[in-house]
């Protein structure tokens, strides 16, 4: 299952001593991780900024993104494929991407919950595609993702 779907409401506050130790060790490397994530995002932005129908993540004027995820929004009419079509085609190329999270009002855990608005969440869910962006991604792997994305776009696009 590649979709993020919540089947039930729950809480998980457990943290073992080993998990806490790993977390503390990772905090010591936080600046390096953030720098690496920003560099990965910069490579994607540089390579994909002119692709018609592919909307890249931005940053607020008042903050800096950690780029925990690098999620693009695919506008099918301009790109030539939907985000889910691109996800499947990239999977055939052995490139794992992920859809954006399902809006909570659509999850089995929240059936019957009231939803006010929701148009933006639904649009982002339908169009969002998270690209591989771990701190361990190599330049060669990232080039492969970029080449894969470019191979999916509308041939009449830029």
């Amino acid at each position: 299952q590649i979709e993020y779907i919540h089947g039930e409401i729950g809480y998980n506050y457990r943290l073992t001593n080993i998990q806490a130790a790993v977390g503390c060790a990772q905090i010591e490397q936080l600046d390096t991780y953030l720098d690496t994530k920003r560099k990965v995002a910069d490579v994607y932005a540089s390579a994909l900024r002119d692709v018609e129908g592919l909307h890249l993540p931005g940053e607020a004027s008042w903050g800096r993104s950690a780029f925990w995820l690098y999620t693009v929004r695919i506008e099918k009419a301009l790109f030539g494929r939907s985000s889910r079509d691109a996800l499947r085609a990239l999977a055939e190329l052995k490139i794992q991407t992920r859809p954006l999270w399902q809006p909570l009002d659509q999850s089995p855990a929240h059936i019957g919950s009231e939803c006010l608005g929701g148009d933006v969440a639904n649009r982002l869910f339908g169009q969002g595609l998270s690209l591989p962006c771990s701190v361990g991604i190599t330049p060669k792997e990232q080039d492969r993702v970029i080449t894969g994305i470019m191979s999916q776009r509308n041939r009449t696009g830029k």
Side-chain angles (χ1 to χ4, degrees):
Q1 174 86 6
I2 205 153
E3 300 272 354
Y4 297 102
I5 297 174
H6 302 283
E8 58 187 62
I9 297 172
Y11 304 93
N12 184 356
Y13 297 118
R14 296 171 292 173
L15 185 66
T16 67
N17 290 344
I18 292 173
Q19 290 169 325
V22 168
C24 287
Q26 287 180 327
I27 289 292
E28 292 173 4
Q29 297 180 50
L30 182 60
D31 289 338
T32 302
Y33 287 166
L34 291 173
D35 187 49
T36 301
K37 296 287 272 186
R38 291 188 65 78
K39 286 177 183 171
V40 168
D42 287 346
V43 169
Y44 278 138
S46 202
L48 301 173
R49 76 172 41 118
D50 294 325
V51 177
E52 191 173 14
L54 197 67
H55 303 276
L56 309 181
E59 288 188 278
S61 61
W62 45 263
R64 291 185 53 171
S65 176
F67 291 105
W68 174 56
L69 294 176
Y70 193 88
T71 303
V72 298
R73 190 170 54 83
I74 297 178
E75 196 174 343
K76 181 181 178 179
L78 296 174
F79 186 73
R81 284 184 182 251
S82 71
S83 66
R84 297 311 192 271
D85 289 340
L87 180 147
R88 285 186 287 278
L90 291 166
E92 289 177 14
L93 298 172
K94 306 285 191 251
I95 298 170
Q96 186 183 60
T97 58
R98 295 271 182 165
L100 204 52
W101 284 278
Q102 177 187 61
L104 282 179
D105 67 292
Q106 295 179 27
S107 77
H110 296 278
I111 291 292
S113 295
E114 183 178 4
C115 175
L116 301 175
D119 294 340
V120 172
N122 289 325
R123 182 170 41 86
L124 293 175
F125 175 59
Q127 295 180 340
L129 187 66
S130 295
L131 306 181
C133 66
S134 81
V135 293
I137 193 170
T138 66
K140 184 176 179 179
E141 290 168 333
Q142 195 172 15
D143 285 344
R144 207 168 142 266
V145 174
I146 291 164
T147 300
I149 289 285
M150 299 298 267
S151 74
Q152 301 310 307
R153 67 189 175 140
N154 185 346
R155 301 283 182 217
T156 62
K158 292 182 183 177

